[in-house]
Amino acid sequence: MENTPLAPPHAPAPAARGRVLVVDDDPTVAEVVVGYLHRAGYAVERAGDGPAALERFAAARPDLVVLDLMLPAMDGFEVCRRMRAHGPVPVIMLTARGDEEDRILGLETGADDYVTKPFSPRELVLRVESVLRRAGAGAPAAEEARPLSGAGLRLDPVARSASRDGVGLALTLREFDLLAFLLRYPGRAFGREELMREVWGWDFGDLSTVTVHIRRLRGKVEQDPARPRLIRTVWGVGYRLDLPGDGEDAEAKEDAEATEVAEATAVGAVADAAEVTGRPEVAGRPEGAGRA
């Protein structure tokens, strides 16, 4: 008989990739999600309603929460708000409602992603991996670890702290990553697809996610979010971060160019009129003007 080598006694169990709390009142959906996450190497806890989810969250904070929107007694929006009140935690909202208004509300509540039922469990696992990776599992690379600053903003990627003019900013996971990315490339315009790929790590997804996060970020870093001076919309392209000096110089250049065009147009019009009438006038000055 062939001998099978035995595992050494007291061998440590494989380390979990992270702790995930799954909150869903549908036993079938919850069982499928929990099973896929277990097989992917995650330690998973499960709750069937909002109060139970908050109780488990308070007892041991998970690394990520997969949260159903339609829950009995307390909906997912309220559960997310109460979790966020205790500190940042990545949240992926899971719901059968696909209305854009619900997606935007979920993102504005603090969710980092939004998955609509029916969904692929494998895709959900990929999104969990992406969100946790962005949450800072592991030290950032040397280039990504250096502090970032500009326009009174200061970000520390290692400490995951952000401030403006010395006042701390309460940024969610994605807001922090988005602002850090833009600060690394000031003056450069990025499309929403590019931002989704570089910041979210997705080659797919709802682009309104980017739009909502830009809007929320403006509300926290702009003096007047209705007239943003830092995070600009580049029509037909996407968004660009302008730091003081760069943005002002660009605006001054655009104004100067517009003035030059207007003046050139005016001179051309006067010259055309002179040619038609036969009166030798240049830029509105009649011949002989200014002579003694």
Side-chain angles (χ1 to χ4, degrees), residues 180-202:
F181 181 79
L182 292 173
L183 272 172
R184 289 190 183 101
Y185 304 99
R188 177 177 168 185
F190 294 94
R192 291 190 301 170
E193 296 88 347
E194 193 171 5
L195 289 172
M196 178 164 282
R197 183 172 60 252
E198 296 294 336
V199 177
W200 276 258
W202 306 340

Side-chain angles (χ1 to χ4, degrees), residues 26-234:
D26 186 326
T28 302
V29 173
E31 184 176 347
V32 171
V33 172
V34 169
Y36 269 81
L37 289 172
H38 266 309
R39 286 192 288 274
Y42 295 98
V44 187
E45 289 192 63
R46 176 176 161 185
D49 56 36
L54 293 174
E55 183 178 344
R56 289 183 179 275
F57 182 84
R61 182 170 302 185
D63 298 305
L64 181 142
V65 180
V66 177
L67 178 61
D68 185 30
L69 177 60
M70 301 297 293
L71 293 171
M74 182 187 303
D75 65 26
F77 293 137
E78 182 62 25
V79 174
C80 187
R81 289 190 190 96
R82 296 195 185 190
M83 288 181 176
R84 289 288 189 183
H86 294 282
V89 60
V91 175
I92 296 178
M93 283 210 170
L94 193 64
T95 177
R97 294 163 61 178
D99 294 341
E100 182 176 1
E101 183 177 342
D102 288 332
R103 290 199 303 272
I104 291 175
L105 181 56
L107 293 169
E108 291 183 337
T109 302
D112 297 282
D113 195 5
Y114 195 100
V115 180
T116 304
K117 300 176 183 178
F119 60 90
S120 163
R122 292 182 180 180
E123 178 185 337
L124 178 61
V125 171
L126 289 174
R127 296 205 179 194
V128 168
E129 292 174 350
S130 174
V131 171
L132 284 175
R133 184 170 60 249
R134 291 287 174 175
E143 178 65 18
E144 296 181 349
R146 65 181 179 86
L148 302 164
S149 61
L153 296 167
R154 182 169 179 81
L155 272 68
D156 185 339
V158 176
R160 302 290 294 184
S161 63
S163 63
R164 177 165 190 185
D165 299 328
V167 179
L169 296 173
L171 302 181
T172 66
L173 167 69
R174 295 298 190 190
E175 290 168 355
F176 185 96
D177 290 339
L178 180 56
L179 183 57
F181 181 79
L182 292 173
L183 272 172
R184 289 190 183 101
Y185 304 99
R188 177 177 168 185
F190 294 94
R192 291 190 301 170
E193 296 88 347
E194 193 171 5
L195 289 172
M196 178 164 282
R197 183 172 60 252
E198 296 294 336
V199 177
W200 276 258
W202 306 340
D203 289 320
F204 56 87
D206 186 350
L207 294 179
S208 66
T209 299
V210 178
T211 306
V212 171
H213 279 81
I214 288 287
R215 186 173 69 198
R216 290 171 55 195
L217 193 54
R218 282 172 170 164
K220 297 179 181 181
V221 304
E222 297 281 0
Q223 295 287 356
D224 181 1
R227 301 185 63 186
R229 309 291 292 178
L230 295 176
I231 304 176
R232 303 289 192 120
T233 297
V234 182

Side-chain angles (χ1 to χ4, degrees), residues 2-8:
E2 183 180 354
N3 293 324
T4 303
L6 299 176

